[in-house]
Every structure is written in structure tokens, then in C-alpha cells.
Amino acid sequence: MSRVVLFGASGFIGGHVRAALEADPQVGAVICPGRRDYDLIDGDHRELVQLIGDHAPSAIVCCVGRLGGTDSELIRGNTLVATTLLEAVAAVRPGVRLVRLGSAGEYGIVPAGHAVTEEDRATPVAAYGVSHLAGTRLFQLAGENGLADTVSLRVFNPIGPGMSQENMLGRAAERIRAALATGADEITMGPLSAYRDFVDVRDLAEIVPAVLRPPRLSHRVFNVGSGRAVRSREAVRLLAEAAGYRGDIREQGAGPRRSAAVDWIQADVGRARAELGWAPGRDLATSIKDIWAAGEAG
């Protein structure tokens, strides 16, 4: 029975990861320090060492990170969080399995039609991807040097119940909801021509206990996606249908800096399937219906 410390359990992804860990019969306890207990971005190193020492986990999972902000904020929230955990684990629990969430943004521009593998060259085009790639590489180096048993999960475009407006479909849901409430006949979004690999957050959550089960892993990086590229415009159309919204969807402005230059992304999830026995189980239409239903229930 494993004992897991989970950072970021109050977030969109972290909440689903917590549920998946607590439902797994091989996980004996899930400890979820909140920001009041320890701030992983700004906290004191000695306090983190003490926290890890006190709980003596067999695994640590980090769902803390930043999607936006200045370049320095992204580096602090994604790269330095990785180094903070690595240094604390090396000091008090060397050999513990340490899992972080990375990003498909690490890959950068991918040729249209290509399903990207973990062995493909990673050339991020924005600070967001750079900050995650640096964290992934630092984890790999620590694992190779025996400082920790490290794993990075390269998450593609997570969607599902509880998603926020930081994500494209979360913004679309809120704008559709507002239009339905006011009788507006149009909403405005950024460009929706890019192809994205939308993975249900519940499928994503289920890979975390899967990556904790094997006593040894052959790889330290795993793609976590649906394995299918869908034009963003089609995803928003499905959301509008689920909501019963028949107004216009205008596209103007620019997309988020972290992904604006990337027109196509699709995951090859063969490594996770072969080594962990994990595969995405929910289709896009189901995920989108659940996004809308969760917002209505809330």
C-alpha cells in the first residue's frame, strides 16, 4: 500500500487526481497539503524537507504549475517548483517516486498529421513550453543520477468537469452561458482554426495511479493525450450544441502566447499504453457534455 503526498489537490487537474488516487486500492493514504500548509512556489526549503520527512511518502505527485503570467512567473511556477521538489527529496527521501505534470507545449511546432512521440525533438516556441521542458529535463537528470525516481507526464489539452476560463473550452462555456442568460445572439472567441488533442481530465487523472504501480519504469516521460487531433472550432461547436446555443461564434484577436504558433498537436500515447496499461477512455462528445452539465449543476 503506497502513501502519496499530492501537491495541488485543490486545482482543476489536482482534484481529479486526488479522486483517482483515493479510489485506487493500492494507495493506502493520500496526503494533500494545501497552500496554507506549504506554498510550493514561495515556501521555505526547510519546511518542505520537514513536511516530506514527517509524512514519509512512497510517492509525491505535483499538480502545481502556472498556465500564464510573465516569463519569470512561468519559470518560477513550473521550472523552479521542479527543482524545489528535487532538492527536498534528495535531502530526505532519495529514491521516492516523484511525478510532475509537464505539457505538450514542450514539443513546440509539430508537422500537421504527425502524432508526436516522447522521442521527438522538443523545441518549445514560448516561455510556457520552455519552463515545462526545463522541469522535465531536470527530472530526467535527477532520475539518471539516482537522486529520485522521477516521472514527467506531458499533458496535452485537458478538458472536463470543473475546468476554468484559463482553458479555451472553459472560456467558451462561460461566454455561451452568459449569452443564453442575456439573450445575446453571438459570442466572441480567439482564433479556433488550430488542431488540438483534447484529453478528458478524468482519463488524465487515471494515469497517475497507473504510473505509481510498477516497481520500476523503463521511461521517465509519458504523453497523456487522447491520441486524436480535433480542430478547436469543432470542439466549440459541440459545446454550443450541448448547451442548446444557436447564436454566432465570432473569432477575432490572438490566441494564448503559450500555443498561438502551434497549428497542430496530436499525441502518440503508445508508450503509456504499452508500459502502464493506460489508454484514454472517454470521447470528446462525452467530455464536452459533462463540461456543460457540471457548469449547470454548479
Side-chain angles (χ1 to χ4, degrees):
M1 299 288 280
S2 61
R3 184 176 177 85
V4 182
V5 168
L6 170 64
F7 290 101
S10 63
F12 166 53
I13 295 176
H16 289 280
V17 169
R18 178 177 186 172
L21 287 169
E22 290 178 340
D24 191 283
Q26 294 187 34
V27 176
V30 183
I31 300 101
C32 302
R35 187 169 291 180
R36 291 182 180 179
D37 303 306
Y38 184 77
D39 187 331
L40 199 53
I41 295 177
D42 296 315
D44 181 80
H45 173 74
R46 292 167 297 181
E47 293 178 7
L48 179 58
V49 169
Q50 182 175 342
L51 184 152
I52 294 172
D54 288 346
H55 291 297
S58 53
I60 299 172
V61 178
C62 178
C63 295
V64 174
R66 289 191 66 100
L67 279 173
T70 64
D71 291 358
S72 60
E73 287 171 337
L74 289 167
I75 294 295
R76 189 172 186 84
N78 298 325
T79 310
L80 295 184
V81 161
T83 62
T84 295
L85 282 169
L86 288 170
E87 290 169 357
V89 164
V92 70
R93 293 287 289 177
V96 70
R97 183 155 296 171
L98 183 52
V99 181
R100 68 178 290 274
L101 301 187
S103 169
E106 298 173 42
Y107 289 116
I109 296 173
V110 175
H114 176 64
V116 68
T117 76
E118 294 88 347
E119 299 303 318
D120 283 337
R121 187 179 177 188
T123 54
V125 295
Y128 173 75
V130 170
S131 69
H132 269 299
L133 180 58
T136 294
R137 186 62 185 135
L138 288 165
F139 260 46
Q140 289 175 302
L141 290 171
E144 291 165 6
N145 292 325
L147 300 177
D149 184 5
T150 56
V151 182
S152 291
L153 302 175
R154 278 183 175 150
V155 179
F156 281 64
N157 293 82
I159 63 170
M163 69 187 305
S164 74
Q165 294 187 55
E166 285 187 301
N167 304 86
M168 181 272 292
L169 282 176
R171 288 192 296 277
E174 289 304 311
R175 290 171 190 180
I176 289 171
R177 190 167 283 110
L180 289 172
T182 61
D185 59 3
E186 71 174 26
I187 65 167
T188 300
M189 298 290 298
L192 299 173
S193 60
Y195 285 83
R196 294 291 179 254
D197 185 323
F198 298 102
V199 60
D200 193 289
V201 68
R202 294 162 294 187
D203 288 334
L204 158 58
E206 287 164 6
I207 201 175
V208 175
V211 85
L212 299 183
R213 291 182 198 124
R216 292 186 180 181
L217 293 168
S218 299
H219 298 95
R220 300 196 180 278
V221 180
F222 293 91
N223 284 342
V224 187
S226 69
R228 181 182 176 217
V230 177
R231 196 183 288 271
S232 297
R233 189 175 297 126
E234 172 65 11
V236 174
R237 183 191 66 78
L238 288 171
L239 180 62
E241 288 182 0
Y245 173 73
R246 296 177 176 80
D248 292 332
I249 301 170
R250 295 180 57 202
E251 300 174 36
Q252 66 178 36
R257 288 175 56 205
R258 64 180 181 269
S259 60
V262 179
D263 294 327
W264 166 279
I265 194 73
Q266 178 181 336
D268 182 317
V269 295
R271 176 181 288 182
R273 181 180 289 108
E275 188 167 348
L276 306 176
W278 175 89
R282 296 167 177 86
D283 63 20
L284 180 61
T286 298
S287 300
I288 285 177
K289 287 177 183 177
D290 290 348
I291 291 169
W292 185 255
E296 290 295 277

